[in-house]
Amino acid sequence: MWNPMEARDFAKSRWTYWRSESYRYFNRMCELTEQFWLSRWYFPFLLTLATVFLLLDQQVMGVAVLVVITTWFLALCPDALAALCPFMILFLLAGPEYRDLSVFLPCAPLALPLLLAALLHLALWPQTIRVGSSGYGLVLVSLATIFGGSGVISAQDYFRPLSLYYTVGLGVGLLVLYVLFRSHLARRRSYDLCERFLAIFYAIGVMAILLVLVHYVHHFEEFLECRGVLSFKYRNFCATVLLTTLPMPFYFARKKRIHLAVCLLFEAALVLTGSRSALLFGAVLTVFCCIYLVRYGVVSWRVMLAIGVVVAAAMVLFGADYMVQFYDKRFAASGYFNRGDQTRLKLLACSVSDFLRHPLFGIGLGSSAHADVFSGVPGSMTFYHNAVAQIIGSMGLLGIVAYGRLALDQFALLRKERTPFTSAMLLSYLGMLMVSMTNPGMFCPFPNAAMLVMGFAMVEEAVGDVALPVTQLLTSRRYTAARKHN
């Protein structure tokens, strides 16, 4: 005979059993995911996977797979840092489709599970929201990007989805990223956080190398025919990532000198990009990186001096003529100031003019006033191709104050404590600053600007910069204000 009480007890026991089993299974999956994140196979797996999709010329499918992997790590790994590498690599994997990023629209539905995974991560492994010294500058930058162009830019230009991506992405978006990332760094770990973070940058740089090399594999016959550098649209993006991550193999060479061989791959990739910025700034940054090796005892100054003399002699005797021939397509017969350079000069003149006409807020990041001078590709905005010009032309005095405060805070952090890590981050920062003098650089929200923001959040953690909880920060301000009022 059916007994309601027994049925209820049975259902309750079954529910308790399945809930317990679900928790146990979920915890086991979390443990395995974290073990993989900390294993030696983590970086080789991601780089091999991305390379396979590059070789197969299946970038859309590759981006979709990397989004799924990022979602997996966010949902099942207590350490959110595990999701950073696949998320950044997917931007590089998208590089060959630089001409038309709309091909990735089929991947858009994957943004929802990615967002849900991020929310689940915050719910399962909550962290106290903290803000360090970079927060003040990023708040000012957020105000500068939002109010840039006030009274000048049209509502149509300001509220275009593309304009909002840059306005919000370079301001509030980076501020939110900084706060979440800085808060997450307070979590205790069983590994060297600084070294693991630089390993992620290292992997991103290796991915940029693979991106360049695979392009030459796909166009090998053309390369043999012209015997010179090949031109491709995403060369400046590759150059930016390579310059930002170039110091990483030099950092790891402190422990294993085999990484010096990877340094040569970075140099080769910089040359093969065909970017003149990569050629010039790469040479400058390489000199600084060699000084870094001497500074931290990887190579003696005598050996480095001998290598420098040999390289300089080889360049004087053979290298100059060869590089001119190799870069023949880039240094066209019309002279150094070719059409592209004339466009850059016009944009610099436009920046000065925009600042003089609208000194307080500039003309706004989303302005299309100079689309006739430079239109870019679908998915990009009108850049001045110079960071200083971008600040004064797009955001005026407000931008100068905001980015000036942020830069002062960043250099103050880097001077606070001289360690191999902070020195490597200084070189990485210099690489980004240099390339930003001729290309969008730090004004590309992802991955460029995001890398800088997370890098300085890591520097704060490394030098012991105090990151106050937001509640404590607000309370202390109220207390200070009350004392002044009384």
Side-chain angles (χ1 to χ4, degrees):
M1 185 176 180
W2 181 74
N3 189 326
M5 295 296 294
E6 291 181 358
R8 187 183 66 179
D9 291 341
F10 176 79
K12 186 176 180 180
S13 65
R14 287 290 88 190
W15 166 249
T16 302
Y17 171 78
W18 286 114
R19 184 177 62 178
S20 176
E21 285 296 301
S22 299
Y23 286 160
R24 187 178 65 83
Y25 179 76
F26 180 80
N27 289 332
R28 181 57 180 162
M29 292 299 296
C30 291
E31 290 175 4
L32 292 174
T33 303
E34 189 169 24
Q35 287 175 13
F36 178 70
W37 147 240
L38 297 176
S39 73
R40 68 177 64 181
W41 303 109
Y42 173 78
F43 292 114
F45 168 75
L46 292 176
L47 291 172
T48 302
L49 185 68
T51 304
V52 169
F53 284 114
L54 275 178
L55 290 170
L56 295 176
D57 200 20
Q58 295 292 328
Q59 284 77 28
V60 176
M61 184 181 297
V63 166
V65 170
L66 286 172
V67 171
V68 171
I69 293 174
T70 304
T71 303
W72 177 274
F73 279 118
L74 277 176
L76 295 174
C77 187
D79 192 350
L81 207 61
L84 178 58
C85 192
F87 184 67
M88 288 298 182
I89 285 178
L90 71 85
F91 289 97
L92 285 161
L93 188 59
E97 301 295 341
Y98 181 74
R99 287 178 177 271
D100 185 10
L101 296 177
S102 63
V103 298
F104 294 102
L105 286 178
C107 300
L110 294 174
L112 180 58
L114 180 64
L115 178 60
L116 293 176
L119 295 175
L120 177 64
H121 184 95
L122 293 174
L124 292 176
W125 300 286
Q127 298 291 333
T128 302
I129 301 299
R130 300 172 183 271
V131 177
S133 57
S134 298
Y136 303 106
L138 288 171
V139 168
L140 290 175
V141 168
S142 299
L143 294 175
T145 57
I146 291 172
F147 290 104
S150 294
V152 180
I153 188 172
S154 66
Q156 181 181 0
D157 277 346
Y158 188 90
F159 291 104
R160 280 185 303 158
L162 180 61
S163 299
L164 291 176
Y165 168 68
Y166 286 98
T167 301
V168 177
L170 291 169
V172 176
L174 291 182
L175 177 61
V176 172
L177 174 66
Y178 163 76
V179 171
L180 292 176
F181 191 73
R182 185 69 182 92
S183 304
H184 180 72
L185 293 179
R187 179 179 178 270
R188 291 186 178 182
R189 290 170 170 83
S190 60
Y191 58 87
D192 188 327
L193 178 59
C194 294
E195 186 168 306
R196 194 68 176 177
F197 180 78
L198 290 187
I200 293 175
F201 268 43
Y202 196 171
I204 294 170
V206 171
M207 185 62 215
I209 294 174
L210 294 171
L211 192 63
V212 175
L213 295 182
V214 169
H215 177 80
Y216 275 80
V217 169
H218 285 158
H219 300 84
F220 191 66
E221 292 183 2
E222 181 184 348
F223 175 64
L224 291 178
E225 182 180 345
C226 72
R227 295 184 180 181
V229 66
L230 299 178
S231 178
F232 51 99
K233 284 292 184 180
Y234 51 97
R235 61 177 176 270
N236 289 325
F237 173 53
C238 288
T240 300
V241 175
L242 286 168
L243 285 169
T244 307
T245 57
L246 175 62
M248 304 318 154
F250 289 88
Y251 171 86
F252 285 97
R254 292 166 43 252
K255 293 186 176 181
K256 293 183 179 180
R257 294 190 179 183
I258 187 64
H259 293 284
L260 293 176
V262 185
C263 297
L264 298 178
L265 290 177
F266 270 85
E267 302 295 343
L270 283 167
V271 172
L272 291 174
T273 59
S275 167
R276 291 169 297 173
S277 299
L279 199 63
L280 174 61
F281 300 135
V284 174
L285 191 59
T286 299
V287 172
F288 287 135
C289 288
C290 290
I291 296 173
Y292 177 91
L293 291 178
V294 175
R295 168 69 176 80
Y296 291 104
V298 180
V299 180
S300 70
W301 67 268
R302 292 184 179 85
V303 173
M304 188 59 70
L305 182 60
I307 294 173
V309 170
V310 171
V311 171
M315 288 299 297
V316 170
L317 295 175
F318 312 106
D321 291 338
Y322 179 74
M323 288 304 295
V324 170
Q325 295 175 9
F326 196 68
Y327 268 68
D328 184 55
K329 286 187 177 181
R330 297 293 295 138
F331 297 106
S334 58
Y336 181 79
F337 290 104
N338 57 28
R339 182 179 177 182
D341 298 303
Q342 304 241 351
T343 299
R344 292 174 190 269
L345 292 176
K346 288 181 182 178
L347 288 171
L348 290 176
C350 290
S351 170
V352 175
S353 175
D354 294 336
F355 176 72
L356 294 176
R357 287 186 292 113
H358 310 288
L360 291 180
F361 303 111
I363 65 171
L365 287 170
S367 175
S368 58
H370 307 305
D372 58 327
V373 180
F374 174 78
S375 58
V377 298
S380 68
M381 70 175 187
T382 303
F383 284 109
Y384 293 102
H385 280 73
N386 179 279
V388 177
Q390 196 74 48
I391 292 169
I392 66 173
S394 297
M395 292 165 278
L397 290 172
L398 180 58
I400 294 173
V401 171
Y403 279 92
R405 169 60 190 270
L406 183 61
L408 287 174
D409 289 343
Q410 290 171 337
F411 278 110
L413 271 174
L414 292 168
R415 290 197 307 267
K416 193 171 182 179
E417 186 177 329
R418 292 293 177 87
T419 65
F421 172 77
T422 56
S423 297
M425 288 307 303
L426 171 61
L427 293 174
S428 177
Y429 186 35
L430 290 177
M432 179 65 80
L433 288 181
M434 285 192 291
V435 78
S436 297
M437 294 301 105
T438 55
N439 292 296
M442 57 189 276
F443 279 91
C444 177
F446 288 93
N448 303 354
M451 290 172 68
L452 278 185
V453 167
M454 290 185 290
F456 277 101
M458 260 306 317
V459 173
E460 288 180 13
E461 181 69 16
V463 302
D465 183 70
V466 178
L468 294 175
V470 172
T471 52
Q472 182 180 337
L473 189 64
L474 295 175
T475 303
S476 62
R477 285 186 174 180
R478 291 196 196 101
Y479 177 71
T480 303
R483 286 190 63 184
K484 288 181 178 180
H485 179 73
N486 293 331

